[in-house]
Amino acid sequence: METEESLMLLPPKRNPDAATASMPDAPAIPAIKRPPPERPESIRARSVVVLSFWAVVVFLGLPVWLWTTSIHRAHLPVQEMLDWADGKACKLSFPLQISVDAPSLQESEAQHLIRSTQHALDDLNEFSAHHLRLSLDQHAGKEIIEKEKERKGEDPGLRIQLQARDNVATPIAELRPHSTVLDVFHASSQALSTSASSSVLANSIAGKLQEIFSEEQASIAYILANSAGSGYNQQSSASSIHTSIPSTPGSTRDQRAGSNGLLSPEMAAKLARRRTRALKYASTYHISISLFTPTAVPTSWDIEGAVHEFLTPLLRSFSISNFTVDTQVQLYASFSPSMHQPELEAEHNRWTIRSEDLSSFINAAEWPLGPSIGSGPTLNFLLYVPDPAMSPLVIKDNGATSWLIPQWGGITILNPSKTGEASPSHLSKESIQPAMLTFSHQLLSLLGAPDTPASFPLQLQTLTRVQAASLFFSASATLGSLARLSESLASIPIPENVLIGVQKTLDHLKSTCDCLREGKSLTALEHARVAEEEAEKAFFEKSMVGQVYFPDQHKVAVYLPLLGPVGVPLVTSLIKMIKGWRKGSLG
């Protein structure tokens, strides 16, 4: 009974054949029609077309593009340029020849005196790059030697004239102001005997020579210490300018020069001020002398006679440069609007200008003062005649009537001799003589002339050597900057004229170094000037400067929109062709 119930619960079985027979017929799915296989001739034709395009790109387009967009870079002697910049190519020396004329001594005594003085000089000198060398002057060939030096371009140097006097207790040395002669007066008993090792006379001469050339040594040491090349800095240690270097076994002689007072902080500050106010050396300067007044008078001045008498002798003696001079008169010249008007100082019955207004004294908008005339720099000297109602006019702090504008020129106020006196319609040569003398001193300051020694020819020789050293280091530093620039920026072009300028600079630097070692400072200055000009010209080549600010990102931004649409089809077709070849080789 139980079995019968269980059977009744089971579902009925279906016949699969009967179900299939009862369903209607499904529609037939059509077969996908594939393209016929590509003929080998078509594959080869497409491959030839793709390869032809790529051949045109690779063998014609790419070379033409590289040729038209390539940057020409001349091969610079980079390592040699860096050697000059770092002070490895030349170690400058400044030998000064000093002749001794000793008619009162026997030749053996004079030779012994020179040896003793030379030994004392070597003990006093702590700056090996600048050294003095003494020699006995031969009377018979004195003029011949001087002419031979002049012909070779050598400096005449200092000449010591020994003169024996009975009434001299201690040696007296006097330097002639307008020549290169040092007169030394001594007693005959102080003459150096052959067997003596030292004498008061020798020590006195050595001390005087060291005093005469101390400022020149400090100037050259200052230039060496502030030069860009590390090799030059090692010669004279820039740290010795501001700090004292103890005399240790490891310190060099030139480094100890700073601690012994050669480059004391006071001397370094003095040389820094001189370098700031002086113009860079040039072979030609233009001098402009102007007369300005806020009224209608004076209308004329005897400037031609004043220049001829007070300025021309100085310009002629300044043999290392040429000068041109022009003059002008400007009436109704008002003060600059940015300047405070002069204030009346009733206590001293004078009008004063504030010190902070001196820099804005020039009314650049209305006063016709050209910044530069010709190829050389212009030095402006301005004579201002104030309104009689506002005179005397002085500087408030110190009561001075003249001041210097660094690297520009000088200004002098010409007040009337009496308060309230009307200005004359004509200024005579005598009335402007003080102003012309002031202009002469200002001119020397602007040219960088040293304060010592007292002899002007020796000052000029000192200035020649200092200027030659300054231009030498400037040209060397510029070469180093150009070499580092060419190495760091591979995208800038270097034309052939830059290479020519570099070669000229190197040649003139070598000549400068040789001439300074031989004592030919005037010839060295000319070579250094040319070297500095060629180095500056090569560094600031316009075709190089334009590419400095054109990085590679700009090139990508320019070429990508042009090459993208052309390159994508070529690359995809090449990839498809390579896949087809691989598939065919595998099948």
Side-chain angles (χ1 to χ4, degrees):
M1 190 67 183
E2 295 178 356
T3 307
E4 186 178 358
E5 293 178 354
S6 61
L7 291 173
M8 292 176 66
L9 295 175
L10 294 174
K13 295 183 178 180
R14 297 182 178 181
N15 188 1
D17 297 335
T20 305
S22 62
M23 293 179 62
D25 294 337
I29 299 175
I32 300 175
K33 293 183 179 181
R34 299 182 180 276
E38 195 173 8
R39 293 180 300 176
E41 293 82 2
S42 301
I43 296 176
R44 286 194 298 269
R46 187 176 65 250
S47 301
V48 170
V49 171
V50 174
L51 292 178
S52 300
F53 274 103
W54 275 103
V56 172
V57 170
V58 174
F59 296 105
L60 180 61
L62 188 60
V64 171
W65 177 73
L66 291 176
W67 178 65
T68 56
T69 61
S70 63
I71 298 175
H72 177 70
R73 290 174 60 88
H75 182 67
L76 298 179
V78 175
Q79 189 56 48
E80 186 177 1
M81 295 164 65
L82 292 175
D83 290 343
W84 280 97
D86 296 336
K88 300 176 182 178
C90 171
K91 184 177 180 181
L92 288 184
S93 61
F94 302 84
L96 272 67
Q97 298 295 331
I98 300 176
S99 60
V100 179
D101 186 9
S104 58
L105 301 179
Q106 299 293 330
E107 184 176 355
S108 58
E109 294 179 342
Q111 291 289 356
H112 199 80
L113 174 63
I114 290 176
R115 287 194 296 269
S116 299
T117 306
Q118 185 67 64
H119 182 71
L121 271 176
D122 294 339
D123 292 340
L124 292 174
N125 186 22
E126 291 292 340
F127 186 50
S128 60
H130 186 281
H131 48 274
L132 308 177
R133 291 292 176 260
L134 302 179
S135 61
L136 184 62
D137 194 358
Q138 303 294 333
H139 295 278
K142 185 187 304 183
E143 295 182 358
I144 299 177
I145 294 176
E146 292 295 332
K147 290 182 179 179
E148 185 67 17
K149 285 185 176 181
E150 183 178 356
R151 186 183 66 83
K152 293 181 178 180
E154 298 180 5
D155 299 335
L158 180 66
R159 186 163 63 90
I160 300 176
Q161 184 76 36
L162 293 177
Q163 301 181 30
R165 290 187 178 180
D166 297 334
N167 55 350
V168 175
T170 58
I172 300 175
E174 296 179 356
L175 185 61
R176 299 181 187 179
H178 301 293
S179 67
T180 59
V181 177
L182 176 65
D183 293 316
V184 178
F185 305 99
H186 65 93
S188 57
S189 59
Q190 293 171 344
L192 189 65
S193 61
T194 305
S195 59
S197 60
S198 63
S199 70
V200 177
L201 180 58
N203 293 329
S204 177
I205 295 175
K208 185 63 177 180
L209 291 177
Q210 189 68 20
E211 176 187 348
I212 290 174
F213 295 101
S214 61
E215 186 173 350
E216 179 178 341
Q217 291 181 347
S219 300
I220 296 176
Y222 179 81
I223 295 175
L224 289 171
N226 288 275
S227 60
S230 58
Y232 296 121
N233 288 338
Q234 293 174 359
Q235 294 180 18
S236 57
S237 182
S239 60
S240 65
I241 297 178
H242 304 289
T243 58
S244 176
I245 300 177
S247 180
T248 58
S251 62
T252 63
R253 185 175 185 180
D254 291 339
Q255 288 175 332
R256 295 195 300 269
S259 61
N260 292 338
L262 182 62
L263 277 177
S264 62
E266 295 79 10
M267 177 60 71
K270 176 183 177 181
L271 295 175
R273 290 193 301 269
R274 178 186 301 168
R275 193 172 184 178
T276 301
R277 67 172 177 258
L279 282 84
K280 187 171 68 173
Y281 170 77
S283 58
T284 302
Y285 294 95
H286 182 77
I287 298 177
S288 178
I289 306 177
S290 306
L291 171 63
F292 284 81
T293 178
T295 62
V297 289
T299 57
S300 62
W301 56 336
D302 191 7
I303 187 61
E304 184 176 353
V307 168
H308 180 74
E309 183 172 349
F310 305 118
L311 194 59
T312 300
L314 174 62
L315 300 181
R316 288 179 177 174
S317 60
F318 206 87
S319 57
I320 62 177
S321 298
N322 299 319
F323 298 89
T324 59
V325 182
D326 73 351
T327 63
Q328 65 172 336
V329 177
Q330 180 69 25
L331 306 178
Y332 301 104
S334 58
F335 288 119
S336 173
S338 60
M339 171 186 167
H340 293 89
Q341 294 299 314
E343 301 173 351
L344 177 62
E345 196 174 88
E347 182 181 356
H348 298 89
N349 192 22
R350 62 183 185 181
W351 294 80
T352 59
I353 304 175
R354 298 180 183 181
S355 298
E356 56 268 22
D357 291 331
L358 296 180
S359 59
S360 58
F361 183 85
I362 302 296
N363 189 351
E366 299 182 7
W367 295 5
L369 293 171
S372 180
I373 300 175
S375 58
T378 299
L379 300 172
N380 297 276
F381 297 102
L382 192 149
L383 180 62
Y384 185 80
V385 179
D387 191 339
M390 200 177 289
S391 62
L393 184 63
V394 297
I395 301 175
K396 186 174 183 178
D397 294 339
N398 50 22
T401 58
S402 63
W403 63 95
L404 186 72
I405 300 178
Q407 300 184 12
W408 185 86
I411 300 175
T412 299
I413 299 175
L414 181 61
N415 290 306
S417 57
K418 297 180 181 180
T419 304
E421 182 181 2
S423 299
S425 60
H426 176 79
L427 294 179
S428 62
K429 180 175 61 177
E430 290 74 18
S431 62
I432 61 177
Q433 177 182 357
M436 297 302 297
L437 296 178
T438 302
F439 290 158
S440 300
H441 290 289
Q442 292 174 344
L443 174 62
L444 292 177
S445 298
L446 292 169
L447 295 176
D451 299 330
T452 59
S455 170
F456 181 75
L458 290 180
Q459 288 182 10
L460 190 59
Q461 292 183 18
T462 296
L463 179 61
T464 303
R465 287 185 284 268
V466 171
Q467 293 283 24
S470 180
L471 293 175
F472 175 87
F473 292 125
S474 177
S476 301
T478 303
L479 281 185
S481 300
L482 179 58
R484 288 185 286 270
L485 179 66
S486 63
E487 289 292 299
S488 60
L489 298 177
S491 61
I492 62 172
I494 302 178
E496 291 296 330
N497 58 333
V498 173
L499 176 60
I500 295 174
V502 169
Q503 293 292 351
K504 289 182 180 179
T505 302
L506 293 174
D507 294 340
H508 285 284
L509 285 177
K510 295 175 184 177
S511 300
T512 302
C513 184
D514 295 338
C515 290
L516 286 177
R517 289 176 176 176
E518 297 171 2
K520 303 176 181 179
S521 60
L522 194 59
T523 308
L525 178 60
E526 181 61 24
H527 285 295
R529 182 188 64 81
V530 177
E532 201 268 345
E533 289 181 356
E534 292 293 337
E536 292 287 332
K537 188 186 303 182
F539 186 81
F540 292 104
E541 169 63 31
K542 59 182 180 180
S543 61
M544 293 176 55
V545 176
Q547 293 290 336
V548 172
Y549 308 102
F550 192 75
D552 294 335
Q553 291 84 347
H554 289 190
K555 297 180 180 179
V556 174
V558 170
Y559 289 120
L560 189 59
L562 299 177
L563 299 181
V566 177
V568 171
L570 289 176
V571 173
T572 56
S573 61
L574 181 63
I575 294 175
K576 185 178 179 180
M577 185 183 67
I578 294 175
K579 287 182 177 180
W581 287 350
R582 293 182 61 184
K583 185 177 179 180
S585 61
L586 292 176

